Amino acid sequence: MSHHWADDAAIGLWEFSMQPSHPTAQSSPADNSPVPPLFADYSLPKKVWEVLGGPAVGGVICGVALLVNLWAYIAAIVLVVLAGLPAGAQHRTLPGALIRACAAGIVWAVAMLLVSGIGDPTLTLPPFGVFITLFVLVPTALSATISWYFGRRASRRAS
């Protein structure tokens, strides 16, 4: 049975079912490498954390780092990007991974902009639309695509 991308988006982001819809992570008999669990299998609290909590905390950390200095901000960005990389691999379809990445990216950006703007009202940042498009949506879509691709490759190898 094939899945439509809208089904994955509904299951992966909007439908917060408490029951798993398919098997969770298992070890591959061929190479004993674990297959990552899918987002749809997560409990409601974990889904909320993954989409809202983690990105908001990352945005706050980056906002505070931006107020400290450029190098602190760069270090915080590197950590946040590394923390978010596995998310794309947790989806069956690329559109599901992209929807989640963009939602999490926007939550991150809003938290970062609020903290840095409140901390230093004189801070000059690009206009919100430019910031979201160039510095949030494009990079998160790219990282979600790469992560999804390698995650699906691993799950195909495991099956």
Side-chain angles (χ1 to χ4, degrees):
M1 179 173 155
S2 67
H3 293 285
H4 187 268
W5 72 266
D7 295 336
D8 188 53
I11 292 170
L13 188 58
W14 308 117
E15 181 186 72
F16 291 109
S17 162
M18 294 300 282
Q19 299 297 321
S21 59
H22 46 77
T24 56
Q26 302 172 10
S27 293
S28 163
D31 63 0
N32 274 345
S33 64
V35 176
L38 294 177
F39 184 77
D41 293 333
Y42 289 163
S43 67
L44 176 60
K46 182 153 174 90
K47 287 178 183 179
V48 171
W49 170 256
E50 292 273 331
V51 175
L52 301 174
V57 169
V60 168
I61 291 168
C62 290
V64 170
L66 182 59
L67 295 171
V68 172
N69 66 37
L70 178 63
W71 293 109
Y73 178 69
I74 290 170
I77 290 292
V78 168
L79 289 174
V80 167
V81 167
L82 291 175
L85 276 178
Q90 297 168 343
H91 291 272
R92 280 190 310 266
T93 67
L94 180 56
L98 291 172
I99 290 168
R100 176 174 169 208
C102 291
I106 289 170
V107 169
W108 170 85
V110 168
M112 195 277 298
L113 291 172
L114 282 172
V115 168
S116 59
I118 291 169
D120 183 359
T122 64
L123 190 64
T124 304
L125 294 170
F128 187 73
V130 171
F131 179 81
I132 290 292
T133 303
L134 294 180
F135 301 111
V136 176
L137 297 181
V138 171
T140 57
L142 181 60
S143 67
T145 301
I146 292 167
S147 166
W148 175 83
Y149 173 76
F150 285 108
R152 292 306 92 209
R153 255 182 87 180
S155 69
R156 279 193 295 270
R157 239 184 293 133
S159 55

Short mmCIF file of all heavy atoms in Angstrom, two decimals, residues 26-78:
data_model
loop_
_atom_site.label_atom_id
_atom_site.label_comp_id
_atom_site.label_asym_id
_atom_site.label_seq_id
_atom_site.Cartn_x
_atom_site.Cartn_y
_atom_site.Cartn_z
N GLN A 26 13.50 -1.13 14.64
CA GLN A 26 13.98 -2.49 14.84
C GLN A 26 15.39 -2.56 14.30
O GLN A 26 15.79 -1.76 13.48
CB GLN A 26 13.09 -3.47 14.07
CG GLN A 26 11.64 -3.42 14.47
CD GLN A 26 10.79 -4.27 13.55
OE1 GLN A 26 11.31 -5.03 12.74
NE2 GLN A 26 9.50 -4.16 13.68
N SER A 27 16.14 -3.54 14.77
CA SER A 27 17.48 -3.72 14.24
C SER A 27 17.41 -4.46 12.92
O SER A 27 16.62 -5.37 12.73
CB SER A 27 18.35 -4.52 15.21
OG SER A 27 18.56 -3.78 16.36
N SER A 28 18.26 -4.05 12.02
CA SER A 28 18.34 -4.70 10.73
C SER A 28 19.10 -6.02 10.88
O SER A 28 20.19 -6.03 11.44
CB SER A 28 19.07 -3.79 9.73
OG SER A 28 19.49 -4.52 8.63
N PRO A 29 18.55 -7.12 10.39
CA PRO A 29 19.26 -8.39 10.53
C PRO A 29 20.55 -8.40 9.72
O PRO A 29 21.49 -9.08 10.06
CB PRO A 29 18.27 -9.43 10.02
CG PRO A 29 17.20 -8.67 9.31
CD PRO A 29 17.26 -7.25 9.77
N ALA A 30 20.62 -7.64 8.64
CA ALA A 30 21.78 -7.66 7.76
C ALA A 30 23.01 -7.03 8.41
O ALA A 30 24.10 -7.57 8.36
CB ALA A 30 21.45 -6.96 6.44
N ASP A 31 22.86 -5.88 9.03
CA ASP A 31 24.04 -5.18 9.56
C ASP A 31 23.88 -4.70 10.99
O ASP A 31 24.73 -4.01 11.51
CB ASP A 31 24.41 -4.01 8.65
CG ASP A 31 23.32 -2.96 8.58
OD1 ASP A 31 22.28 -3.12 9.23
OD2 ASP A 31 23.53 -1.97 7.86
N ASN A 32 22.79 -5.10 11.66
CA ASN A 32 22.51 -4.71 13.05
C ASN A 32 22.44 -3.20 13.27
O ASN A 32 22.56 -2.74 14.39
CB ASN A 32 23.52 -5.32 14.01
CG ASN A 32 23.10 -6.71 14.42
OD1 ASN A 32 21.96 -7.10 14.22
ND2 ASN A 32 24.03 -7.46 14.97
N SER A 33 22.27 -2.41 12.22
CA SER A 33 22.12 -0.97 12.42
C SER A 33 20.65 -0.67 12.70
O SER A 33 19.77 -1.22 12.06
CB SER A 33 22.60 -0.18 11.20
OG SER A 33 21.80 -0.49 10.09
N PRO A 34 20.38 0.20 13.68
CA PRO A 34 18.98 0.49 14.01
C PRO A 34 18.31 1.34 12.95
O PRO A 34 18.95 2.20 12.35
CB PRO A 34 19.08 1.24 15.33
CG PRO A 34 20.44 1.84 15.32
CD PRO A 34 21.31 0.92 14.51
N VAL A 35 17.05 1.09 12.73
CA VAL A 35 16.24 1.92 11.85
C VAL A 35 15.57 2.94 12.75
O VAL A 35 14.95 2.57 13.75
CB VAL A 35 15.19 1.08 11.09
CG1 VAL A 35 14.29 1.96 10.26
CG2 VAL A 35 15.89 0.02 10.25
N PRO A 36 15.70 4.24 12.46
CA PRO A 36 15.11 5.23 13.36
C PRO A 36 13.59 5.11 13.43
O PRO A 36 12.95 4.77 12.44
CB PRO A 36 15.53 6.57 12.76
CG PRO A 36 15.89 6.28 11.35
CD PRO A 36 16.30 4.84 11.29
N PRO A 37 13.02 5.39 14.60
CA PRO A 37 11.55 5.36 14.70
C PRO A 37 10.95 6.50 13.89
O PRO A 37 11.59 7.53 13.69
CB PRO A 37 11.30 5.56 16.19
CG PRO A 37 12.52 6.23 16.71
CD PRO A 37 13.65 5.78 15.84
N LEU A 38 9.75 6.30 13.43
CA LEU A 38 9.08 7.34 12.66
C LEU A 38 8.32 8.27 13.60
O LEU A 38 7.85 7.88 14.67
CB LEU A 38 8.11 6.71 11.65
CG LEU A 38 8.78 5.91 10.54
CD1 LEU A 38 7.72 5.28 9.64
CD2 LEU A 38 9.72 6.77 9.72
N PHE A 39 8.19 9.50 13.18
CA PHE A 39 7.51 10.54 13.95
C PHE A 39 6.09 10.10 14.30
O PHE A 39 5.60 10.37 15.39
CB PHE A 39 7.52 11.83 13.15
CG PHE A 39 6.93 13.01 13.87
CD1 PHE A 39 7.65 13.66 14.85
CD2 PHE A 39 5.67 13.48 13.55
CE1 PHE A 39 7.12 14.76 15.52
CE2 PHE A 39 5.14 14.58 14.20
CZ PHE A 39 5.87 15.21 15.19
N ALA A 40 5.43 9.43 13.38
CA ALA A 40 4.05 8.99 13.60
C ALA A 40 3.94 8.02 14.77
O ALA A 40 2.87 7.88 15.36
CB ALA A 40 3.51 8.33 12.33
N ASP A 41 5.03 7.37 15.15
CA ASP A 41 5.02 6.41 16.25
C ASP A 41 5.23 7.07 17.61
O ASP A 41 5.08 6.42 18.64
CB ASP A 41 6.13 5.37 16.06
CG ASP A 41 5.84 4.48 14.87
OD1 ASP A 41 4.67 4.29 14.53
OD2 ASP A 41 6.81 3.96 14.29
N TYR A 42 5.60 8.33 17.64
CA TYR A 42 5.87 9.02 18.91
C TYR A 42 4.60 9.27 19.69
O TYR A 42 3.53 9.45 19.12
CB TYR A 42 6.56 10.35 18.66
CG TYR A 42 7.98 10.25 18.17
CD1 TYR A 42 8.59 11.35 17.59
CD2 TYR A 42 8.72 9.09 18.29
CE1 TYR A 42 9.90 11.29 17.15
CE2 TYR A 42 10.02 9.02 17.85
CZ TYR A 42 10.61 10.12 17.28
OH TYR A 42 11.90 10.05 16.85
N SER A 43 4.73 9.35 21.01
CA SER A 43 3.61 9.72 21.87
C SER A 43 3.30 11.20 21.65
O SER A 43 4.13 11.96 21.13
CB SER A 43 3.97 9.47 23.33
OG SER A 43 4.99 10.37 23.73
N LEU A 44 2.12 11.61 22.08
CA LEU A 44 1.72 13.01 21.93
C LEU A 44 2.71 13.98 22.58
O LEU A 44 3.13 14.95 21.94
CB LEU A 44 0.31 13.22 22.50
CG LEU A 44 -0.19 14.66 22.49
CD1 LEU A 44 -0.23 15.22 21.07
CD2 LEU A 44 -1.56 14.74 23.13
N PRO A 45 3.14 13.74 23.83
CA PRO A 45 4.10 14.69 24.42
C PRO A 45 5.41 14.79 23.63
O PRO A 45 5.96 15.88 23.48
CB PRO A 45 4.34 14.13 25.82
CG PRO A 45 3.13 13.30 26.13
CD PRO A 45 2.68 12.75 24.80
N LYS A 46 5.88 13.66 23.12
CA LYS A 46 7.12 13.70 22.34
C LYS A 46 6.92 14.45 21.02
O LYS A 46 7.79 15.19 20.59
CB LYS A 46 7.64 12.29 22.08
CG LYS A 46 8.96 12.30 21.30
CD LYS A 46 9.78 11.10 21.58
CE LYS A 46 10.99 11.05 20.70
NZ LYS A 46 12.15 11.70 21.22
N LYS A 47 5.76 14.28 20.39
CA LYS A 47 5.48 15.01 19.15
C LYS A 47 5.45 16.51 19.40
O LYS A 47 6.01 17.29 18.63
CB LYS A 47 4.15 14.56 18.54
CG LYS A 47 4.19 13.19 17.93
CD LYS A 47 2.82 12.80 17.41
CE LYS A 47 2.84 11.40 16.85
NZ LYS A 47 1.55 10.97 16.35
N VAL A 48 4.79 16.91 20.48
CA VAL A 48 4.72 18.33 20.82
C VAL A 48 6.12 18.88 21.08
O VAL A 48 6.48 19.96 20.61
CB VAL A 48 3.77 18.56 22.02
CG1 VAL A 48 3.87 20.00 22.52
CG2 VAL A 48 2.34 18.22 21.64
N TRP A 49 6.92 18.12 21.84
CA TRP A 49 8.29 18.55 22.10
C TRP A 49 9.08 18.69 20.80
O TRP A 49 9.78 19.67 20.59
CB TRP A 49 9.00 17.58 23.05
CG TRP A 49 10.45 17.90 23.13
CD1 TRP A 49 11.49 17.23 22.54
CD2 TRP A 49 11.06 19.02 23.79
NE1 TRP A 49 12.67 17.85 22.80
CE2 TRP A 49 12.44 18.95 23.57
CE3 TRP A 49 10.55 20.07 24.54
CZ2 TRP A 49 13.32 19.90 24.08
CZ3 TRP A 49 11.44 21.01 25.06
CH2 TRP A 49 12.80 20.91 24.82
N GLU A 50 8.97 17.70 19.93
CA GLU A 50 9.74 17.69 18.68
C GLU A 50 9.38 18.86 17.76
O GLU A 50 10.24 19.40 17.09
CB GLU A 50 9.54 16.37 17.93
CG GLU A 50 10.13 15.17 18.63
CD GLU A 50 11.57 14.93 18.27
OE1 GLU A 50 11.99 15.28 17.17
OE2 GLU A 50 12.28 14.36 19.13
N VAL A 51 8.10 19.21 17.69
CA VAL A 51 7.67 20.27 16.78
C VAL A 51 7.73 21.65 17.41
O VAL A 51 8.06 22.63 16.74
CB VAL A 51 6.25 19.99 16.24
CG1 VAL A 51 5.74 21.14 15.39
CG2 VAL A 51 6.23 18.70 15.43
N LEU A 52 7.43 21.75 18.70
CA LEU A 52 7.36 23.07 19.35
C LEU A 52 8.45 23.30 20.39
O LEU A 52 9.12 24.34 20.38
CB LEU A 52 5.99 23.26 20.00
CG LEU A 52 4.78 23.17 19.09
CD1 LEU A 52 3.49 23.23 19.89
CD2 LEU A 52 4.82 24.25 18.04
N GLY A 53 8.60 22.38 21.32
CA GLY A 53 9.50 22.59 22.45
C GLY A 53 10.97 22.71 22.08
O GLY A 53 11.63 23.69 22.43
N GLY A 54 11.47 21.71 21.38
CA GLY A 54 12.88 21.72 20.99
C GLY A 54 13.26 22.94 20.16
O GLY A 54 14.23 23.64 20.47
N PRO A 55 12.51 23.24 19.10
CA PRO A 55 12.83 24.43 18.31
C PRO A 55 12.72 25.74 19.10
O PRO A 55 13.53 26.65 18.92
CB PRO A 55 11.79 24.40 17.18
CG PRO A 55 11.41 22.97 17.05
CD PRO A 55 11.48 22.42 18.45
N ALA A 56 11.75 25.83 20.01
CA ALA A 56 11.62 27.05 20.83
C ALA A 56 12.82 27.21 21.76
O ALA A 56 13.38 28.31 21.87
CB ALA A 56 10.32 27.02 21.64
N VAL A 57 13.24 26.12 22.38
CA VAL A 57 14.42 26.17 23.26
C VAL A 57 15.66 26.54 22.43
O VAL A 57 16.47 27.38 22.84
CB VAL A 57 14.62 24.84 24.01
CG1 VAL A 57 15.98 24.78 24.69
CG2 VAL A 57 13.51 24.63 25.01
N GLY A 58 15.79 25.93 21.26
CA GLY A 58 16.91 26.27 20.38
C GLY A 58 16.89 27.73 19.96
O GLY A 58 17.93 28.39 19.90
N GLY A 59 15.71 28.25 19.69
CA GLY A 59 15.58 29.66 19.31
C GLY A 59 15.96 30.58 20.46
O GLY A 59 16.62 31.61 20.25
N VAL A 60 15.56 30.24 21.68
CA VAL A 60 15.92 31.04 22.85
C VAL A 60 17.44 31.03 23.03
O VAL A 60 18.07 32.08 23.26
CB VAL A 60 15.19 30.54 24.12
CG1 VAL A 60 15.77 31.16 25.38
CG2 VAL A 60 13.70 30.82 24.01
N ILE A 61 18.05 29.86 22.93
CA ILE A 61 19.50 29.75 23.08
C ILE A 61 20.21 30.59 22.02
O ILE A 61 21.15 31.33 22.32
CB ILE A 61 19.95 28.28 23.01
CG1 ILE A 61 19.47 27.53 24.26
CG2 ILE A 61 21.47 28.17 22.84
CD1 ILE A 61 19.61 26.03 24.18
N CYS A 62 19.75 30.51 20.77
CA CYS A 62 20.37 31.29 19.70
C CYS A 62 20.13 32.79 19.90
O CYS A 62 21.03 33.60 19.61
CB CYS A 62 19.85 30.85 18.34
SG CYS A 62 20.44 29.21 17.87
N GLY A 63 18.96 33.17 20.38
CA GLY A 63 18.68 34.58 20.64
C GLY A 63 19.58 35.15 21.72
O GLY A 63 20.12 36.25 21.58
N VAL A 64 19.78 34.40 22.79
CA VAL A 64 20.69 34.83 23.86
C VAL A 64 22.12 34.89 23.33
O VAL A 64 22.86 35.84 23.59
CB VAL A 64 20.58 33.90 25.09
CG1 VAL A 64 21.69 34.18 26.09
CG2 VAL A 64 19.21 34.03 25.74
N ALA A 65 22.52 33.88 22.57
CA ALA A 65 23.88 33.86 22.00
C ALA A 65 24.11 35.06 21.08
O ALA A 65 25.21 35.64 21.08
CB ALA A 65 24.11 32.55 21.25
N LEU A 66 23.11 35.45 20.32
CA LEU A 66 23.24 36.60 19.43
C LEU A 66 23.48 37.87 20.24
O LEU A 66 24.20 38.77 19.81
CB LEU A 66 21.99 36.75 18.56
CG LEU A 66 21.98 37.88 17.54
CD1 LEU A 66 23.14 37.72 16.55
CD2 LEU A 66 20.66 37.90 16.78
N LEU A 67 22.90 37.94 21.42
CA LEU A 67 23.11 39.10 22.28
C LEU A 67 24.52 39.11 22.89
O LEU A 67 25.04 40.17 23.21
CB LEU A 67 22.07 39.13 23.39
CG LEU A 67 20.62 39.33 22.93
CD1 LEU A 67 19.66 39.12 24.08
CD2 LEU A 67 20.43 40.68 22.28
N VAL A 68 25.12 37.94 23.03
CA VAL A 68 26.47 37.85 23.61
C VAL A 68 27.50 38.32 22.59
O VAL A 68 28.21 39.30 22.82
CB VAL A 68 26.77 36.41 24.08
CG1 VAL A 68 28.23 36.25 24.50
CG2 VAL A 68 25.83 36.02 25.21
N ASN A 69 27.60 37.62 21.48
CA ASN A 69 28.48 38.04 20.38
C ASN A 69 28.27 37.11 19.18
O ASN A 69 27.59 36.10 19.28
CB ASN A 69 29.96 38.12 20.79
CG ASN A 69 30.57 36.77 21.13
OD1 ASN A 69 30.27 35.76 20.51
ND2 ASN A 69 31.40 36.75 22.17
N LEU A 70 28.89 37.46 18.07
CA LEU A 70 28.71 36.71 16.83
C LEU A 70 29.20 35.27 16.96
O LEU A 70 28.56 34.35 16.47
CB LEU A 70 29.43 37.42 15.68
CG LEU A 70 29.36 36.72 14.33
CD1 LEU A 70 27.91 36.62 13.86
CD2 LEU A 70 30.22 37.42 13.30
N TRP A 71 30.32 35.05 17.63
CA TRP A 71 30.88 33.70 17.74
C TRP A 71 30.00 32.80 18.59
O TRP A 71 29.84 31.61 18.29
CB TRP A 71 32.31 33.75 18.27
CG TRP A 71 33.20 34.40 17.26
CD1 TRP A 71 33.79 35.63 17.35
CD2 TRP A 71 33.54 33.89 15.97
NE1 TRP A 71 34.49 35.92 16.20
CE2 TRP A 71 34.36 34.87 15.33
CE3 TRP A 71 33.25 32.72 15.28
CZ2 TRP A 71 34.89 34.68 14.06
CZ3 TRP A 71 33.78 32.55 14.00
CH2 TRP A 71 34.57 33.52 13.41
N ALA A 72 29.42 33.35 19.63
CA ALA A 72 28.48 32.56 20.45
C ALA A 72 27.27 32.18 19.61
O ALA A 72 26.78 31.05 19.69
CB ALA A 72 28.06 33.35 21.69
N TYR A 73 26.79 33.11 18.79
CA TYR A 73 25.65 32.84 17.92
C TYR A 73 25.99 31.76 16.90
O TYR A 73 25.20 30.83 16.69
CB TYR A 73 25.23 34.13 17.22
CG TYR A 73 24.08 33.95 16.27
CD1 TYR A 73 22.80 33.67 16.73
CD2 TYR A 73 24.27 34.04 14.89
CE1 TYR A 73 21.74 33.51 15.86
CE2 TYR A 73 23.21 33.88 14.01
CZ TYR A 73 21.95 33.60 14.50
OH TYR A 73 20.91 33.43 13.63
N ILE A 74 27.16 31.84 16.30
CA ILE A 74 27.57 30.83 15.31
C ILE A 74 27.66 29.45 15.98
O ILE A 74 27.19 28.46 15.42
CB ILE A 74 28.90 31.23 14.64
CG1 ILE A 74 28.66 32.44 13.73
CG2 ILE A 74 29.49 30.07 13.85
CD1 ILE A 74 29.92 33.09 13.18
N ALA A 75 28.25 29.39 17.17
CA ALA A 75 28.34 28.11 17.88
C ALA A 75 26.95 27.57 18.20
O ALA A 75 26.69 26.37 18.04
CB ALA A 75 29.16 28.29 19.17
N ALA A 76 26.04 28.44 18.63
CA ALA A 76 24.68 28.01 18.95
C ALA A 76 23.96 27.51 17.70
O ALA A 76 23.25 26.50 17.74
CB ALA A 76 23.89 29.15 19.59
N ILE A 77 24.16 28.20 16.58
CA ILE A 77 23.54 27.76 15.32
C ILE A 77 24.04 26.38 14.92
O ILE A 77 23.26 25.51 14.51
CB ILE A 77 23.81 28.79 14.19
CG1 ILE A 77 23.04 30.07 14.43
CG2 ILE A 77 23.51 28.21 12.81
CD1 ILE A 77 21.54 29.92 14.28
N VAL A 78 25.34 26.15 15.03
CA VAL A 78 25.90 24.84 14.69
C VAL A 78 25.26 23.76 15.56
O VAL A 78 24.84 22.71 15.05
CB VAL A 78 27.43 24.84 14.84
CG1 VAL A 78 28.00 23.43 14.78
CG2 VAL A 78 28.07 25.72 13.76
#
